Amino acid sequence: MGFYDDEETALQYIAMAEGYDGRELIEVLRNHLQDGSSVLELGMGPGVDLTMLENHYLATGSDISQYFLDRYRDSNADADLMFLDAVELETERKFDCIYSNKVLHHLANDQLALSLHRQIDCLTDGGLVFHSFWRGEGVEEHHGLKFVYQSEDSLREIFGVSFGKVEVVSYTEMESDDSLYVVARV
Ligand SMILES: C[S@@+](CC[C@H](N)C(=O)[O-])C[C@H]1O[C@@H](n2cnc3c(N)ncnc32)[C@H](O)[C@@H]1O
């Protein structure tokens, strides 16, 4: 059982992440994606962003942690949720947008490339992806989880293989300019 699947460590994550959410990212997303569009969130975790996405979009949550999916379901009986690995994306469904907030840094670069390739298959015509990353260099491992840091250049390179239009923007989450988000379209 992994860090996000074990109740004790998942609750530690929730406590650690208290006060941080994707509110500002979702405001940026709204400049790119019309209200009422369909959005798939990868790695929804406790579902704080999912609830905000649901306020504007037809939002579907997903995660590889059954613990987080069950926890969200307990208080949101009607939520549209899927158990989904962000690498394989084993679904036939298509969405106007695929969104994640600090999830894809857990993937090695070859897994990220595979995920992006699959994401294109899961987008409607003209759809877009919106993902955030920790900015930096190198790879670390904590609690058995991989943390792959990215730069503007590395993200442009990886996303550029699958997407024609790629915008990479830095923003602050905990420390000045410690994060990057990517908006990309085919
Ligand atoms: C740092 S948490 C972020 C959670 C949420 N997006 C937030 O901002 O609070 C990372 C989340 O990604 C999920 N995750 C990690 N690897 C994944 C994968 N391969 N496929 C789907 N979800 C994954 C974890 O289970 C966890 O919920």
Side-chain angles (χ1 to χ4, degrees):
M1 190 177 272
F3 181 82
Y4 295 115
D5 231 339
D6 176 82
E7 180 169 16
E8 189 181 334
T9 45
L11 290 174
Q12 278 172 24
Y13 169 74
I14 291 172
M16 220 164 56
E18 174 101 42
Y20 298 100
D21 60 43
R23 186 176 311 270
E24 290 173 19
L25 295 179
I26 291 167
E27 280 312 305
V28 176
L29 177 64
R30 292 188 67 207
N31 295 326
H32 296 271
L33 186 71
Q34 277 190 344
D35 278 19
S37 302
S38 58
V39 178
L40 169 65
E41 180 177 9
L42 304 177
M44 59 180 269
V48 178
D49 289 15
L50 181 62
T51 299
M52 289 190 283
L53 288 167
E54 283 167 345
N55 289 334
H56 305 287
Y57 299 115
L58 296 171
T60 300
S62 72
D63 207 289
I64 203 172
S65 158
Q66 193 61 51
Y67 172 75
F68 278 141
L69 292 169
D70 291 345
R71 187 176 181 277
Y72 195 80
R73 169 75 67 216
D74 281 349
S75 43
N76 300 273
D78 296 332
D80 183 20
L81 303 179
M82 286 197 276
F83 180 90
L84 204 58
D85 180 347
V87 182
E88 307 290 340
L89 285 173
E90 283 187 24
T91 177
E92 299 291 313
R93 293 178 63 182
K94 289 186 187 280
F95 301 87
D96 301 322
C97 173
I98 300 178
Y99 168 97
S100 75
N101 185 9
K102 298 292 170 59
V103 173
L104 301 182
H105 63 287
H106 290 315
L107 307 185
N109 280 345
D110 59 336
Q111 293 177 308
L112 175 58
L114 194 62
S115 171
L116 294 175
H117 190 68
R118 276 292 299 132
Q119 287 183 40
I120 287 176
D121 296 336
C122 300
L123 285 178
T124 55
D125 285 348
L128 69 130
V129 299
F130 189 108
H131 300 298
S132 75
F133 295 85
W134 290 111
R135 185 185 200 184
E137 282 179 7
V139 180
E140 292 175 5
E141 199 143 327
H142 304 288
H143 306 287
L145 292 171
K146 203 185 282 296
F147 286 73
V148 181
Y149 294 90
Q150 301 287 358
S151 64
E152 279 93 336
D153 286 348
S154 66
L155 288 174
R156 273 199 200 96
E157 192 179 326
I158 297 170
F159 277 73
V161 172
S162 301
F163 293 89
K165 292 181 199 155
V166 180
E167 186 186 354
V168 185
V169 179
S170 75
Y171 71 98
T172 297
E173 179 144 357
M174 292 176 169
E175 289 171 19
S176 178
D177 283 330
D178 60 358
S179 300
L180 295 165
Y181 70 76
V182 183
V183 189
R185 292 179 191 267
V186 180

